[in-house]
Amino acid sequence: PRWGLRQAPQARFLGAGRLADPGKPKRALSPYLRFAQHYRQQHSGEKHSVQVVAGKWKSLTAQEAEPFLEEYRREKEARDKEMEAYRASGQEDYFKRDPARPKKPLTPYLAWAQEARKQPQYAALKLVDSMKALKPDWEKLGEPEKERLQERFKAEQEAYQAALAKYNASGQHEEWLRKTGRQAKLDAAVAKARAKAAKLALAKEAAKARQAVARERAAAREARRRHAETAKALRQGLREFVADQKDKLGGRVSEAKARKQGLVDEEKAKKRSKEDTLTARVKAASEAVVKAIRDKKPTGQVEKAQEALREAREKRVAEAKTSGVKIKHLQADLKEKLKELTGKTTERVKERRSKAQQALKELEEKRRVDRESSAQKIQDLRAEIKQKMEESKQRA
């Protein structure tokens, strides 16, 4: 029978199982098991399966098996006598149930059925058959009789509860558990259940910690990905900015060159026009001098013509110098303008590159801090898991 279910309902949950009374005589060893022991002792250096031993047992003759049967009968006879003395001592009943514990009263139906089964027509029936046969009689039983049985059950139940409370307060139940070995079994079962619960709790905590480590690693990977994308965007933005500034600079340079070249060309055209006019004047003055000399004009007129020729030549030279200076000034202005445009573009690119480098430096610093923080968190989680496992081992 199952033990301790009334006295200790927690035993079923804890898996306390069935206990054997250490004082109960042990069963006699069967002839086959005796033969198996003997056979294995005789062949100790060999390995024999159960099938081999069973085959050897079956192949024995009656005369060969008789010593094992005789020993079994002798031991069984002695054990039967010990069992009679064991049962007579009351030890068997005491081990199954504490005799000092109050018994539950029978329900009205069971109390009535117990008396009814004493009648001759039910006495020879098995319990199950008799209960089936008594059911119609119980349904036909009058209400006054059922009420009387119910009142008696109530009174017995109250007396049982009072006696049970007194029994529980007396400590007799704990003493019975201790004497029959059930308390040690319960304590072991409780300790095992607690250890199992602690192990499960530790496993859950470890799983949570591993999940936290996995989340932290995923977050670190995501942060690295974001940092890489941000750095890539900064570098790409810098390249695009530099390319855009180069394009703008090229456009402005081309525009400035074209504008200045137009002014230079215009000045050169003016220079050529003036040179042509002055050359024509010099030619006319030269022809006037030649004519005056050929016509043998007076000396005064010849000198006057020569003076006009000299002035025309000087004016042509001065005008050529003035035009050359203007063209040089225009070219110098163009060079200065190009230098200014290049300098401004270079400064803007330098400023933008400096900002990008600073942003990349800050991003790298943030990445380093995040990496160290993530590594520290993972290390702390692992240390926490290790500490909890050590605490669990110590408790175990």
Side-chain angles (χ1 to χ4, degrees), residues 173-302:
H173 176 60
E174 289 75 12
E175 181 65 17
W176 177 78
L177 288 176
R178 187 185 63 78
K179 286 182 177 180
T180 56
R182 287 174 169 81
Q183 189 61 51
K185 184 74 173 179
L186 283 173
D187 292 343
V190 169
K192 184 177 180 181
R194 286 177 178 170
K196 185 177 180 180
K199 187 176 180 180
L200 289 174
L202 178 63
K204 288 182 179 179
E205 290 294 328
K208 288 182 181 178
R210 284 193 292 270
Q211 290 174 359
V213 169
R215 287 195 298 271
E216 190 61 34
R217 285 178 174 171
R221 287 195 296 271
E222 179 62 21
R224 288 196 297 271
R225 187 189 64 78
R226 290 198 303 269
H227 291 160
E229 288 184 354
T230 304
K232 183 179 179 181
L234 285 171
R235 294 188 180 96
Q236 182 64 25
L238 178 61
R239 285 193 293 269
E240 291 176 356
F241 178 78
V242 171
D244 180 64
Q245 289 299 311
K246 286 183 177 179
D247 290 342
K248 288 181 178 179
L249 176 62
R252 288 170 185 157
V253 167
S254 298
E255 183 181 349
K257 284 182 177 180
R259 187 168 60 251
K260 292 298 181 181
Q261 189 62 41
L263 294 175
V264 170
D265 292 343
E266 183 181 353
E267 189 62 32
K268 285 181 177 180
K270 288 181 180 179
K271 178 183 176 183
R272 284 193 298 271
S273 177
K274 288 181 180 180
E275 284 180 350
D276 293 342
T277 302
L278 292 174
T279 299
R281 288 179 183 178
V282 169
K283 184 178 180 181
S286 178
E287 289 176 354
V289 170
V290 171
K291 186 178 179 182
I293 292 173
R294 189 178 57 242
D295 293 341
K296 297 180 180 182
K297 296 287 184 180
T299 303
Q301 289 182 358
V302 173

Side-chain angles (χ1 to χ4, degrees), residues 93-359:
D93 293 335
Y94 179 81
F95 187 80
K96 291 179 180 179
R97 185 184 185 281
D98 185 4
R101 181 183 178 86
K103 292 184 178 180
K104 279 188 176 183
L106 295 175
T107 63
Y109 172 69
L110 290 179
W112 172 84
Q114 189 179 52
E115 293 296 327
R117 287 185 67 244
K118 295 178 181 179
Q119 299 176 26
Q121 64 270 31
Y122 302 119
L125 297 177
K126 293 182 180 180
L127 177 61
V128 176
D129 296 335
S130 63
M131 296 303 285
K132 289 181 180 179
L134 285 170
K135 190 173 182 181
D137 293 345
W138 169 257
E139 292 175 352
K140 294 176 183 177
L141 192 67
E143 287 300 324
E145 181 63 17
K146 287 185 179 180
E147 289 179 3
R148 183 186 68 80
L149 292 170
Q150 184 66 30
E151 290 296 327
R152 188 176 72 176
F153 172 73
K154 278 178 153 184
E156 290 176 351
Q157 182 71 8
E158 290 175 0
Y160 164 74
Q161 292 294 341
L164 183 62
K166 184 178 179 181
Y167 168 77
N168 289 333
S170 68
Q172 289 178 304
H173 176 60
E174 289 75 12
E175 181 65 17
W176 177 78
L177 288 176
R178 187 185 63 78
K179 286 182 177 180
T180 56
R182 287 174 169 81
Q183 189 61 51
K185 184 74 173 179
L186 283 173
D187 292 343
V190 169
K192 184 177 180 181
R194 286 177 178 170
K196 185 177 180 180
K199 187 176 180 180
L200 289 174
L202 178 63
K204 288 182 179 179
E205 290 294 328
K208 288 182 181 178
R210 284 193 292 270
Q211 290 174 359
V213 169
R215 287 195 298 271
E216 190 61 34
R217 285 178 174 171
R221 287 195 296 271
E222 179 62 21
R224 288 196 297 271
R225 187 189 64 78
R226 290 198 303 269
H227 291 160
E229 288 184 354
T230 304
K232 183 179 179 181
L234 285 171
R235 294 188 180 96
Q236 182 64 25
L238 178 61
R239 285 193 293 269
E240 291 176 356
F241 178 78
V242 171
D244 180 64
Q245 289 299 311
K246 286 183 177 179
D247 290 342
K248 288 181 178 179
L249 176 62
R252 288 170 185 157
V253 167
S254 298
E255 183 181 349
K257 284 182 177 180
R259 187 168 60 251
K260 292 298 181 181
Q261 189 62 41
L263 294 175
V264 170
D265 292 343
E266 183 181 353
E267 189 62 32
K268 285 181 177 180
K270 288 181 180 179
K271 178 183 176 183
R272 284 193 298 271
S273 177
K274 288 181 180 180
E275 284 180 350
D276 293 342
T277 302
L278 292 174
T279 299
R281 288 179 183 178
V282 169
K283 184 178 180 181
S286 178
E287 289 176 354
V289 170
V290 171
K291 186 178 179 182
I293 292 173
R294 189 178 57 242
D295 293 341
K296 297 180 180 182
K297 296 287 184 180
T299 303
Q301 289 182 358
V302 173
E303 290 178 354
K304 187 176 180 181
Q306 290 175 344
E307 182 65 25
L309 175 60
R310 186 172 54 254
E311 288 178 358
R313 286 176 175 173
E314 289 178 354
K315 190 172 182 180
R316 186 177 66 177
V317 172
E319 196 63 37
K321 287 182 179 180
T322 302
S323 297
V325 170
K326 284 184 180 180
I327 291 172
K328 286 183 179 180
H329 284 170
L330 287 173
Q331 291 174 342
D333 289 345
L334 175 60
K335 188 175 181 180
E336 188 65 28
K337 182 66 174 178
L338 293 177
K339 184 177 180 181
E340 181 183 354
L341 289 173
T342 304
K344 287 182 179 180
T345 302
T346 303
E347 189 64 28
R348 282 195 294 270
V349 170
K350 185 177 179 181
E351 183 180 357
R352 181 63 179 268
R353 182 176 283 112
S354 176
K355 288 182 179 179
Q357 289 175 349
Q358 182 64 27

Side-chain angles (χ1 to χ4, degrees), residues 212-213 216 370-384:
V213 169
E216 190 61 34
D370 290 346
R371 185 169 59 248
E372 291 179 355
S373 176
S374 178
Q376 186 62 41
K377 285 181 181 179
I378 292 174
Q379 185 178 353
D380 293 343
L381 287 170
R382 287 177 174 171
E384 184 180 354

Side-chain angles (χ1 to χ4, degrees), residues 234 355-366:
L234 285 171
K355 288 182 179 179
Q357 289 175 349
Q358 182 64 27
L360 287 171
K361 186 177 180 181
E362 293 174 358
L363 184 64
E364 184 61 29
E365 179 65 18
K366 187 175 185 303

